[in-house]
């Protein structure tokens, strides 16, 4: 039970770090513009070694930003619940912190999946046609890896919850 929680906590911490790095950096997409390489993220775009803020209020950028931030916040809440489940695994009869942590990690996974799906769909259908020579870059890839890490953190914590429930159900009455 504690090994599942430890594995889940490790995956969650790595996933949260990857979420923050992915959201904050500007290498979601790289492309060639007028013979020079350029790259962009959720907050800035850079051309010819100069970076500029994304001042346009474009819906897909705002949605991707919002879902990435919500994902990071729910992952952080899951980490807090996961740490608290180590201290007192079940202090309440009806509220299990490992179950709550697992649910928060699944919520985080859902938010990052929405963010990545929105960004991917718009980039391929709109920006991919606009720029001939383009590719997704490492910030974007970190977002997908963070999604996997938060998903596995949720799986580990739900497994820990199920093990606790099995032990609680087989005890003397």
């Amino acid at each position: 039970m504690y090994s599942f929680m430890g594995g889940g906590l490790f995956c969650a911490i790595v996933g949260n770090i990857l979420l923050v790095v992915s959201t904050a950096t500007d290498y979601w997409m790289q492309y060639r513009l007028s013979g020079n390489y350029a790259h962009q993220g959720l907050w800035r775009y850079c051309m010819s070694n100069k970076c500029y803020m994304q001042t346009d209020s474009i819906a897909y950028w705002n949605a991707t930003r919002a879902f990435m931030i919500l994902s990071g916040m729910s992952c952080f809440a899951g980490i807090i619940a996961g740490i608290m489940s180590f201290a007192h695994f079940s202090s309440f009869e009806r509220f299990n912190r490992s179950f709550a942590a697992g649910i928060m990690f699944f919520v985080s996974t859902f938010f990052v999946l929405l963010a990545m799906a929105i960004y991917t769909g718009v980039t391929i259908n709109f920006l991919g046609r606009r720029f001939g020579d383009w590719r997704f870059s490492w910030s974007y890839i970190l977002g997908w890896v963070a999604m996997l890490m938060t998903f596995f953190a949720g799986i580990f914590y739900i497994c820990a919850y199920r093990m606790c429930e099995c032990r609680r159900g087989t005890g003397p009455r």
Side-chain angles (χ1 to χ4, degrees):
M1 166 173 59
Y2 287 110
S3 60
F4 279 124
M5 288 174 21
L9 193 58
F10 173 76
C11 287
I13 290 170
V14 170
N16 204 15
I17 290 169
L18 293 178
L19 280 170
V20 170
V21 170
S22 175
T23 304
T25 55
D26 17 316
Y27 282 90
W28 280 60
M29 181 177 147
Q30 292 179 331
Y31 50 92
R32 185 181 290 264
L33 187 65
S34 301
N36 294 325
Y37 281 105
H39 57 88
Q40 73 179 23
L42 299 178
W43 310 100
R44 299 185 321 168
Y45 65 95
C46 302
M47 295 184 300
S48 303
N49 295 327
K50 293 180 182 175
C51 294
Y52 308 96
M53 293 299 294
Q54 303 257 16
T55 56
D56 298 334
S57 182
I58 298 175
Y60 89 96
W61 272 330
N62 292 338
T64 304
R65 291 173 189 157
F67 285 130
M68 289 298 282
I69 291 170
L70 286 172
S71 177
M73 290 170 48
S74 60
C75 185
F76 185 74
I79 289 171
I80 298 300
I83 290 171
M84 290 174 61
S85 69
F86 270 111
H88 284 288
F89 191 73
S90 59
S91 61
F92 302 109
E93 287 297 318
R94 296 195 180 266
F95 178 74
N96 192 308
R97 290 182 182 131
S98 64
F99 181 74
I103 294 301
M104 291 307 295
F105 295 135
F106 286 137
V107 167
S108 177
T109 301
F110 179 69
F111 283 148
V112 75
L113 178 64
L114 282 175
M116 300 307 288
I118 290 168
Y119 189 84
T120 302
V122 173
T123 300
I124 289 174
N125 290 324
F126 175 68
L127 295 177
R129 294 179 183 155
R130 185 172 156 199
F131 304 113
D133 184 19
W134 68 276
R135 65 183 175 133
F136 292 115
S137 193
W138 60 268
S139 296
Y140 172 82
I141 294 167
L142 287 181
W144 283 110
V145 174
M147 186 198 71
L148 289 174
M149 296 302 280
T150 57
F151 177 74
F152 285 122
I155 293 288
F156 282 138
Y157 268 95
I158 294 299
C159 286
Y161 167 72
R162 294 294 295 165
M163 286 185 70
C164 175
E165 288 296 310
C166 289
R167 287 183 182 163
R168 195 177 296 161
T170 61
R173 294 183 185 224

